[in-house]
Every structure is written in C-alpha cells, then in structure tokens.
Amino acid sequence: MSLHLEEHLDVLVCKLDLSRKVRLLTGATHSHTYAEPAVGLRAMTFSDGPAGVRGPSWDDEAPSACLPCPTALAASWDTGRAAEAGRLLAAEAVRKEVDVVLAPTINLHRSPVGGRHFECFSEDPLLTGRIGAALVGALQEHGVAATVKHYVANDSETDRFSVDVRLDERALRELYLAPFEDIVLTARPWLLMAAYNGVNGTTMTEHELLDDPLRTRWGFDGPVVSDWRATRSLAAASAGLDLAMPGPDGPWGDALRKAVEDGAIPESTLDVKVKNLLRLAARVGALESVPVERPAPVRTGGGDVRAQLRAAAADGTVLLHNARAALPLPLDRVRRIAVIGELAEHPRIQGGGSAEVCPAQVVSPLQGLRAALPPDVEVTYTAGSYLDGDPGPLPAACLCRDSGENGDRAVLVRWLTDTGEEVRTESRDTGELVRFGSDVPQGAAAVELTTTVCPDLTGSWQLGFRGAGRITFEAGGRTLHDEDVPSAHDGPGADILTPPVRTFEVELIAGRPVELRLRQRIPAGGFALSFRARRPRRSPADDLARARQDARAADVAIVVVGTSSQIESEGFDRAHLCLPAGQDDLVRAVAEENPNTVAVVNAGAPVLLPWRDDVAAVLVTWFAGQEAGAALADILTGTAEPGGRLPMTWPARTEDVPVLDTRPVDGRLLYREGIHVGYRAWLREGVEPAYPFGHGLGYTTWELVDLCPPAAVRHTDDPGKPATVITARVRNTGDRPGKQVIQIYLARPGSGIERPVRWLAGFATADAAPGETVELDIPVPWRALWHWDSQAGEWAVEPGAFDALVGFSSADLHKTTTVDVPAGT
C-alpha cells in the first residue's frame, strides 16, 4: 500500500472514538462486519469458499458454482489450474456481492484419517504453498480478498476447538508454517484466519505467532480474523487478533472498551487493529474515500463456467492403475456398459461442513456416460450396495407443487412465536433450510416446514429429517418423532455443519400423496433443518446379485464406490480408512464377473483398496464438483486424460500408516513424528504404500531425457527468486498427446542434522504431443535447502552437496544431479 494511503488510514482512525473502534473489531452478524458512516466504511460481506462461494446466506435457492474440492485441485499439480480456480471464485464472489472469501485452507494432511482433508491441498508444504499462492493471487486480482486459514497446526478435527497441539520448533517452521509463509511472501493475502486449536500451550487467537513470524518476518499487513467463535477472551485483543467473528455477540464489546478505559489495554493497540481492518476495506472497495476498480472477472453462469469445472475435474482425476491399457475405453469394441454403485447415480460432489455450496445442477457419472457414449452403446445401472447414514433430500420429482397454500412451490415455511402465532411465512422449492442466528426473523422461536410427497414407488420408504435440537416430525398426520436430538459432534457450529439424521420406515403407495411436517425450536446460534428420504430398495443380497448379472452381461463394468457424509466431513475425524460396508464386496463381485472392471473412487482422502489388483483400472475422482459425471465420461472415453497425481500417500493397510494419531490425550495432541510427515514418514519407515506421493498415470508414455546442471546457488532476499533452477527435458514417447508432472526431490546423505530421506523441492507440468520433447526450467526455492536451527532461533543452511532426484513420483525417480551450496551462503 502507498504511503499516501497509510497516512489517509491514520486520519480515518483518528476520527473514531473508542466505542466506535471497539464496535468495528467484532462482526455485526454471522457474515458481515459493521459499517461506520463516520469514515465512509460500508459493511463487508464474508463467505465460505474453498470449493465455491456460498454467499452471505446458506440457501439452496441462491445456487453457487461447485468446484472440485481442494484435494482434487492440488492433484493437478498445476499452478495455472489453481489460478483459474481463483478467478472463478472471484467471479462468483462478485456475482454474490461478497468481499472476502474464506479460502484457501492450507493445513497439511498430517494423518490420512483427518476428517477435513478434502478441504486442504496436500501432505507436502511446498505443493500446498504453491497451489495456494496461485489461487490467492488470482482471486485478489479481481478485488476479492482471500483468507489463508487455519493458522496454524489445525490438521485434524477431533476436539479441534480445545486441542493443544504440541510440536517441536523445527517441525512447526519447516512444515506447518511453511505454506503460510510461502503464500504470504509471494501472493500477499489480504486476510488470515487464526485457528481454534492451541499450539504449545497457547490458543491460536492469543498466540505470539500472530506477530512473529507473521508480521515481523513475513510482513503481513492485513487483519487477522478468528475462526468463527474461536476468540476466547480479552487476551486475544492484546495479541495479534484484529477481528472477532461472528457477531454481534463475543468476548470483546463492552469488556474491551472498559479494559482500554481502565488502562489495561492501550488504545493504540486498538488503533492498529482498526487500521488493519480499514486497509482490508480499502482493498476490496468498501471505503468510499478509496476508489477501487475491480478488473472484470471471468464470466459466470452458462457453458463457460461449466466447461471450466469439467476440465478442472478431469485434470485432478488420478489414474492409479491401468492394467492391459483398459482405459480409455475401446469404444469400437464396446456395445454394453454396466454402471454399478449408488454413487454413480448420486455422487458426492463435495465434502461436508462449512465448505458446502448448493449448485444449480449436478451431472452424475451415470448421466455423464449416457450423454457421452454413442447411441448404439447400451448403459445399464444398478446400485449393487447401499451407503448407510444420510439418505439424502426428498426426491424433487416426488414433491407436489401444484396445490395448497404453497402455490407452485414445494415447501411452506412458517416462522412461529413461542405461543404458535405466525411471524412470517414463505415458500420454497426444496425442503432444506439453514439459518444463522442473525438470519432468523425477529420474534421467531420456532420454525415449521410442511410439504406433500407423491411417491413414485410403492413400498417401505425411509422418511425423516436432518437437524439437532428439539424437533417434531410428522408423516401423514402421525407423529414419528417428538424429542431432543443431541449434536453428533462437539465444537462451534456442529448443529449446522454436521447435524445428525433420524429416519423412520414408512409404507407408502405410489401416487397417493402424504403430507410431511417438521417443526424445530430455534437454537440461539442458528440451525440446519431438512427433510430426508430414500425410496424403497431391494435387499442387499438381491442388489448384489443384480450387479453380478449386469456385470456378467456387459463388455465393461464401471463400479463407483466412495465415502459418505458420515465418514468425511468437517467436525470429526475418520474412524478408519475402509470404504463403507459392502463396497469392497461389491467391487470384488463385479470383478469376478467381468475382467474389464473399472473402479472409480469418489472420496476426498485416501481409502483402502484391497481389491486394486483384481480390477482392470482404478480412478480417483475425489469430490469433483458439479460436473463430476461429465469429467469422468471425458476420461473414460479418452476425450480428456486423467491429469492428476496424488497429493498424498495412499496406504495398502491401516497398520502401515506411520502417522494415524489424531486423538488428543488430556487435551494434548503430540506431533511425535516431527518433520517426518506424509511420504517423508513412509520413506523413513521403509514401508511400501499402495501408491506413493506424486503417483499417477496418463494415457501415453514418457521419458526423462536429460538434466542440465543447475545454476550456482546464490542467496537472495527476494522471496520470488529461487536458490537455483534445474532444467529437465522430457519426451512424450507414446502415440497420443498427454500431460506429465516432473518432480524434484532433494536428499542429503551423511548430513550433520536430522533430515527426511528426501523431500519435494520443485515441480512442473509438461504437455506434449506424441514424440515431442519439452524443456522445463524448474525453480528450487531457498526453503528447500535451509533448515530451522532451533538453538539459534533462525534459518540456517548446511554447506555442501545436495542430491537432486528427478522423476515422476516420490518413488519413480529417473535421474540425479547435484546442487552445491557454497560455505558462507
């Protein structure tokens, strides 16, 4: 920011009295800051956004573009693809009048059982930092603030609000702070979020790390915002926290004003915080005295965005295994395809929790394949097995829309007082309602949803609801539930982010309407309430028999398996790495019937694949966003190549995983592994995983032709300049165009300090035509060569020769060169 602007912000701060300063430092609502007319400040709007920009309200009638999850984005290993995602998020933010997007999440995949890994990028700090920096830079080019979160060591969900993470200084600096440092130094984010957890005895909203290294060493000049309800006390006001969210309630307010009046906290401390907030406002155009011209973002809506989402999903898809070149499908010889798996019809396009958005449309794998294949190819479908837990929303086709007081809308919503009097009524297209406390109509103590279902099948339906608190549920005038539903998980927002599900078996007759009624007493912080339903199903044995029959009669079987919302979501860690019950048996059964079986894994993080050698091919599509099915069809048919490489290690067995522990003991979670996380830990243990970090196959073959000796290492204070550059030449030796990711790992045999066996130091993507050779200059950053000297409390470098191993994964290394670090560097 210019000196003139800084002086202007100082003048504005001086115009505010103490009460106005205090008010600005707590949110006005769940998603907004306060306006302050005295300095020409309008309210700023915040929105969750790792996989799409939801907007200030959580409403499925205000749809959002749903991107592939961050794990899928990182799997592209492509900073250009990440930048494209940033521009799309900016366009969505502008469309929804959002100033601040609460993304990206750059915590590390320390353990594969972490419940929120789909929202993070990778187990490696360099890959995480590079992908995150590209997204942040592109997002902010359009005048929309990025929020780098959650600072720091918020790498699992169990007791996340209270856990005290204990780790040594070297691991903290080299791993967990490293991606934050990379992004702050290169992309200059406008906002940073302090996490719920503590680090080495101090909760993060009160931690000295908010000042050093964040502001002193890295030069961060934006406000630090708390994670929602992470601000514990006035102590955070004396630390580096600037904004306590959400509002209007919080621990500051009158208590902070009194602390300043009593001299316990200097008013100058508040001045710095207010100035940081005004600086953010100036950047996003919320300060009328500082005009901002936002460059036009990419166009939203229509085919352009859907094409981008489709390409991004394909580019993040990882082909783990492709025996006998089963993919792409030989369409000239395929006349019947069996599509099997409940997720083929109802895919998981995103992870659960605050990152969820409501897209206008979703393309399932079944729809995508049917649209992509020639008309003479027959496609059959059966579920084969069923995912337990959340049965999903009411089928849209079964909702009555043409009678009653709803008119042509499906659901009537009534807001009621304690005595049952109506405060307000509204009608909606769906039976899903989420409201934060500030969004509830004044005077409303309860909410009631009513709809009429016209079943399309006769049989035993599962009907019920999703929600927590005091809830009554009626079907056909019969009360099926009338009691309290406790939260399924602990911590702020659990009732909204991951509410429990209750279902009941109800016999329905096709064509005979049934009224459903759902009423809840509104909790203080807000609620999530929705109808849930599942059509009658065959028995598991009958459905598995049908899957075998379809597979046996087909030329190719595509079986889609994956996790459920009860396994991967914000708010809790995974209990195990297995697929839900029945899915492994389904894949084995299909593979027994058809040797041309392709398994598609619809999950956000690693799962065990005990049948991986029994099938012809394995694809990991992650949570691929709203165009998941179209992208999968492109890959299966060869229209697109699976461009992804694993951003984390996939184990063969749970007992092989070096770091599984996410459960605090007496409130503490010990990072005993130190600097050995992810593939580094696997290499130290000497155990071979199912698929190593960086692994992925394409539809062509490649040769690493040669390496040019790297340039001499020279120290520079410019974070944008690398320590050296390694030039690699790679050739596409196959018969079709393709993509390869060239990866550089450093090693230091005989080092005088503890080091990983090897660690990622650089990467680049190559796109080449058949027979084409591509030359790539791959930068190696300073941080790859330096280590944290805990005794000296500073970065240090060990002079001498580092081996640079270059190849196509952490285990597939083809050539080696040397990086020499002169003494005195």
Side-chain angles (χ1 to χ4, degrees):
M1 304 299 281
S2 69
L3 178 61
H4 172 73
L5 177 58
E6 292 300 304
E7 293 172 344
H8 177 62
L9 297 180
D10 287 333
V11 170
L12 295 182
V13 172
C14 290
K15 290 183 177 182
L16 299 173
D17 60 24
L18 177 59
S19 294
R20 295 182 184 216
K21 293 174 186 176
V22 168
R23 191 176 78 141
L24 286 176
L25 299 181
T26 295
T29 68
H30 183 273
S31 304
H32 299 89
T33 60
Y34 278 106
E36 183 45 74
V39 293
L41 172 68
R42 66 165 172 81
M44 289 182 283
T45 302
F46 290 49
S47 170
D48 281 300
V53 180
R54 187 171 57 243
S57 63
W58 200 324
D59 197 332
D60 55 1
E61 297 195 354
S64 305
C66 183
L67 284 68
C69 71
T71 303
L73 188 62
S76 73
W77 287 64
D78 189 339
T79 55
R81 181 68 68 188
E84 185 176 88
R87 286 188 287 270
L88 201 153
L89 289 172
E92 285 286 278
V94 171
R95 180 173 70 87
K96 287 178 169 280
E97 299 183 340
V98 165
D99 301 295
V100 177
V101 173
L102 300 175
T105 303
I106 62 166
N107 301 107
L108 296 185
H109 296 178
R110 172 181 170 263
S111 168
V113 299
R116 203 174 179 179
H117 280 354
F118 57 85
E119 194 177 319
C120 310
F121 290 127
S122 167
E123 69 186 19
D124 181 80
L126 178 68
L127 179 58
T128 295
R130 291 291 171 84
I131 296 294
L135 187 148
V136 167
L139 177 60
Q140 293 185 167
E141 284 176 5
H142 302 289
V144 178
T147 308
V148 182
K149 64 181 189 180
H150 310 87
Y151 189 84
V152 62
N154 184 188
D155 309 300
S156 53
E157 293 294 284
T158 304
D159 296 343
R160 63 176 179 162
F161 189 68
S162 58
V163 62
D164 179 21
V165 173
R166 295 296 175 113
L167 74 170
D168 64 60
E169 191 72 12
R170 190 172 172 207
L172 176 65
R173 300 281 178 163
E174 293 186 19
L175 293 180
Y176 301 100
L177 285 173
F180 287 94
E181 180 179 19
D182 197 357
I183 294 172
V184 170
L185 291 177
T186 59
R188 296 295 175 188
W190 297 345
L191 203 73
L192 181 137
M193 181 184 289
Y196 289 123
N197 58 283
V199 169
N200 292 333
T202 304
T203 191
M204 278 310 305
T205 52
E206 301 171 11
H207 211 289
E208 61 184 10
L209 289 170
L210 297 179
D211 291 312
D212 183 24
L214 180 60
R215 295 194 187 277
T216 57
R217 298 183 189 232
W218 303 347
F220 177 71
D221 66 354
V224 174
V225 63
S226 70
D227 204 340
W228 267 227
R229 304 199 185 283
T231 310
R232 307 303 207 277
S233 68
L234 279 179
S238 296
L241 189 72
D242 299 302
L243 178 63
M245 289 294 286
D249 300 321
W252 287 0
D254 289 341
L256 178 55
R257 178 185 52 76
K258 188 175 187 304
V260 174
E261 291 173 343
D262 292 345
I265 297 176
E267 188 168 352
S268 59
T269 298
L270 271 61
D271 292 345
V272 171
K273 297 178 188 300
V274 171
K275 185 176 180 181
N276 289 338
L277 195 66
L278 293 178
R279 191 180 295 113
L280 171 66
R283 285 167 166 160
V284 301
L287 207 53
E288 66 180 25
S289 57
V290 184
V292 172
E293 290 187 15
R294 286 183 171 181
V298 292
R299 187 161 61 91
T300 61
D304 288 349
V305 167
R306 293 187 63 184
Q308 288 181 52
L309 297 175
R310 183 173 183 166
D315 203 25
T317 298
V318 182
L319 178 58
L320 295 179
H321 168 68
N322 194 19
R324 304 182 306 278
L327 294 179
L329 297 175
L331 294 180
D332 57 332
R333 303 193 303 274
V334 173
R335 288 296 170 266
R336 184 182 176 103
I337 295 178
V339 177
I340 298 167
E342 191 175 10
L343 290 167
E345 185 179 24
H346 303 291
R348 284 201 74 195
I349 64 167
Q350 58 189 323
S354 61
E356 288 187 56
V357 296
C358 304
Q361 65 277 311
V362 173
V363 180
S364 72
L366 182 60
Q367 291 170 323
L369 265 175
R370 283 178 168 163
L373 292 170
D376 60 341
V377 177
E378 182 184 0
V379 177
T380 63
Y381 169 72
T382 189
S385 70
Y386 303 113
L387 293 167
D388 292 329
D390 187 352
L394 293 171
C398 297
L399 295 178
C400 299
R401 300 175 183 272
D402 57 354
S403 63
E405 50 192 320
N406 296 338
D408 62 352
R409 308 298 288 276
V411 180
L412 176 68
V413 179
R414 300 171 67 221
W415 301 93
L416 307 170
T417 66
D418 269 326
T419 58
E421 297 175 3
E422 284 189 1
V423 174
R424 195 174 82 193
T425 63
E426 59 189 80
S427 57
R428 300 176 58 81
D429 284 330
T430 69
E432 301 193 60
L433 189 65
V434 180
R435 289 291 183 270
F436 301 112
S438 55
D439 298 326
V440 173
Q442 188 171 3
V447 63
E448 181 184 85
L449 281 66
T450 306
T451 191
T452 300
V453 174
C454 188
D456 53 357
L457 292 174
T458 296
S460 180
W461 284 63
Q462 283 188 7
L463 297 177
F465 62 88
R466 190 178 186 215
R470 182 71 185 190
I471 296 176
T472 302
F473 174 64
E474 301 173 8
R478 185 161 58 102
T479 300
L480 301 178
H481 184 278
D482 185 11
E483 60 187 40
D484 286 332
V485 179
S487 297
H489 308 286
D490 295 330
D495 293 355
I496 297 176
L497 301 178
T498 53
V501 175
R502 297 288 186 271
T503 59
F504 310 88
E505 297 290 331
V506 180
E507 294 294 325
L508 301 181
I509 299 174
R512 183 175 294 179
V514 175
E515 185 179 78
L516 305 181
R517 190 180 305 273
L518 189 56
R519 180 181 291 195
Q520 178 177 29
R521 178 168 293 279
I522 300 172
F527 66 93
L529 187 66
S530 61
F531 291 111
R532 313 310 273 179
R534 178 178 278 137
R535 291 181 171 93
R537 305 183 299 188
R538 289 185 287 262
S539 72
D542 288 347
D543 225 78
L544 186 60
R546 173 69 179 271
R548 283 184 175 274
Q549 177 184 326
D550 283 2
R552 192 164 51 245
D555 299 308
V556 174
I558 310 295
V559 57
V560 184
V561 293
T563 59
S564 73
S565 60
Q566 312 302 299
I567 293 177
E568 279 189 272
S569 177
E570 180 180 353
F572 57 92
D573 290 317
R574 297 161 67 189
H576 53 74
L577 297 177
C578 300
L579 287 168
Q583 296 207 35
D584 288 335
D585 292 339
L586 175 63
V587 178
R588 290 190 182 102
V590 172
E592 285 175 5
E593 303 295 341
N594 193 320
N596 299 318
T597 293
V598 176
V600 178
V601 182
N602 179 193
V607 293
L608 301 182
L609 309 176
W611 36 259
R612 63 188 185 280
D613 293 328
D614 301 333
V615 297
V618 181
L619 285 165
V620 179
T621 59
W622 315 104
F623 299 146
Q626 68 183 64
E627 296 297 319
L632 176 61
D634 288 342
I635 288 167
L636 293 172
T637 61
T639 302
E641 182 177 73
R645 304 295 184 266
L646 289 179
M648 80 292 282
T649 308
W650 277 49
R653 306 182 307 165
T654 301
E655 54 266 36
D656 293 340
V657 178
V659 181
L660 268 178
D661 183 24
T662 62
R663 307 281 169 181
V665 176
D666 297 328
R668 296 179 178 181
L669 180 60
L670 306 183
Y671 283 21
R672 294 183 178 91
E673 67 282 353
I675 60 172
H676 303 282
V677 171
Y679 65 94
R680 304 176 184 211
W682 284 89
L683 289 169
R684 182 177 67 163
E685 296 293 323
V687 178
E688 185 176 347
Y691 301 103
F693 174 78
H695 170 75
L697 307 174
Y699 289 159
T700 186
T701 55
W702 295 85
E703 177 190 4
L704 183 60
V705 179
D706 57 35
L707 301 175
C708 296
V713 170
R714 293 184 179 179
H715 178 63
T716 174
D717 292 327
D718 184 348
K721 290 187 177 180
T724 190
V725 174
I726 294 177
T727 301
R729 296 176 69 238
V730 63
R731 178 183 298 128
N732 179 350
T733 57
D735 59 2
R736 58 178 288 155
K739 168 188 172 181
Q740 184 58 278
V741 179
I742 295 82
Q743 304 165 38
I744 298 175
Y745 296 84
L746 292 182
R748 185 67 187 266
S751 174
I753 64 170
E754 180 187 9
R755 293 186 184 275
V757 174
R758 54 182 170 269
W759 61 96
L760 184 68
F763 61 91
T765 59
D767 294 285
E772 182 183 4
T773 298
V774 177
E775 185 172 286
L776 299 166
D777 291 332
I778 306 174
V780 175
W782 268 104
R783 282 293 176 265
L785 295 167
W786 287 34
H787 64 273
W788 182 259
D789 186 332
S790 297
Q791 274 193 319
E794 61 184 21
W795 291 100
V797 65
E798 184 181 25
F802 289 75
D803 292 340
L805 303 94
V806 185
F808 304 142
S809 82
S810 60
D812 183 19
L813 300 167
H814 294 254
K815 293 187 181 296
T816 303
T817 187
T818 300
V819 176
D820 287 312
V821 179
T825 301

